[in-house]
């Protein structure tokens, strides 16, 4: 009888630890997702959409953006700051932000940008600007650049880094609500 009581206490304690651990994992996942998405203020909480939303996007030497999704409202003014948080120079690990028009073939755009771009900056070639909604200049380690643009109509838009070889890893979605 004593053993049974002891066993049930141990079993309950174990279940409580497992349950607490699961909640902790859910919080960590939730927190990680929040760092990957920038979202405008909840419309139910505010009567108006913010006139301008500030977005910070960090890029590093490992060819990654820190956000793979950005959410804004149609017609909203977007002030985007791209920070190159790495150390490598623009000539070897330059980064930029290029927001593409809907329907643009990302791979074809990236290929053409590399073919027509000029070292060391590899700025977006003039021949491709018709497929671009907004873009920054190319920056190197420790540099930042800020641009402003008006969010396009509702939909999902691709953004990339067009520096040679980066678009396949450095990309994301601008979701316009």
């Amino acid at each position: 009888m004593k053993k049974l009581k002891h066993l049930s206490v141990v079993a309950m304690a174990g279940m409580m630890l497992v349950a607490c651990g699961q909640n902790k994992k859910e919080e960590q996942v939730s927190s990680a997702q929040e760092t990957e998405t920038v979202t405008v203020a909840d419309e139910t909480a505010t009567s108006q959409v913010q006139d301008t939303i500030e977005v910070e996007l960090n890029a590093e030497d490992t060819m990654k953006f820190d956000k793979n999704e950005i959410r804004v409202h149609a017609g909203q003014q977007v002030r985007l700051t791209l920070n190159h948080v790495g150390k490598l120079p623009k000539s070897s690990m330059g980064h930029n932000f290029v927001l593409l028009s809907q329907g643009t073939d990302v791979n074809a755009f990236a290929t053409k940008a590399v073919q027509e771009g000029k070292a060391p900056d590899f700025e977006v070639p003039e021949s491709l600007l018709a497929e671009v909604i907004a873009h920054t200049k190319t920056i190197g380690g420790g540099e930042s650049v800020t641009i402003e643009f008006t969010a396009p109509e509702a939909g999902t838009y691709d953004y990339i880094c067009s520096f040679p070889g980066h678009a396949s890893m450095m990309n994301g979605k601008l979701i316009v609500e």
Side-chain angles (χ1 to χ4, degrees):
M1 185 74 153
K2 208 175 193 181
K3 277 188 177 181
L4 184 58
K5 212 180 214 185
H6 180 67
L7 253 143
S8 63
V9 169
V10 171
M12 286 185 68
M15 289 174 24
M16 290 173 72
L17 283 173
V18 169
C20 288
Q22 286 176 341
N23 287 342
K24 199 174 233 179
K25 285 180 186 171
E26 287 173 16
E27 288 173 14
Q28 289 171 347
V29 169
S30 172
S31 174
Q33 289 171 345
E34 289 172 8
T35 61
E36 293 179 352
T37 303
V38 172
T39 307
V40 296
D42 185 358
E43 283 186 77
T44 58
T46 59
S47 58
Q48 293 182 278
V49 175
Q50 297 170 330
D51 289 338
T52 302
I53 182 170
E54 302 274 343
V55 176
E56 269 201 49
L57 186 62
N58 297 313
E60 53 188 60
D61 289 338
T62 58
M63 296 186 344
K64 291 181 184 173
F65 285 130
D66 68 336
K67 294 170 186 66
N68 58 15
E69 184 178 285
I70 301 169
R71 290 182 178 269
V72 299
H73 289 285
Q76 187 172 36
Q77 196 64 17
V78 179
R79 184 176 298 125
L80 182 132
T81 299
L82 175 65
N83 301 306
H84 190 321
V85 297
K87 296 188 185 320
L88 294 173
K90 175 172 44 176
S91 59
S92 61
M93 189 56 68
H95 296 314
N96 65 3
F97 169 88
V98 182
L99 179 61
L100 301 173
S101 301
Q102 276 187 322
T104 299
D105 180 329
V106 176
N107 292 330
F109 181 93
T111 300
K112 196 168 181 184
V114 170
Q115 290 169 347
E116 294 182 19
K118 293 181 176 41
D121 297 338
F122 290 99
E123 299 296 338
V124 176
E126 202 169 308
S127 65
L128 294 175
L129 290 178
E131 299 175 66
V132 174
I133 295 169
H135 69 92
T136 66
K137 67 179 187 171
T138 303
I139 59 175
E143 296 180 324
S144 293
V145 62
T146 299
I147 58 168
E148 287 194 28
F149 61 94
T150 302
E153 65 185 35
T156 301
Y157 299 81
D158 291 302
Y159 63 84
I160 64 169
C161 172
S162 67
F163 195 83
H166 290 199
S168 63
M169 293 177 64
M170 296 185 74
N171 56 68
K173 303 284 185 193
L174 176 76
I175 299 172
V176 183
E177 301 168 332

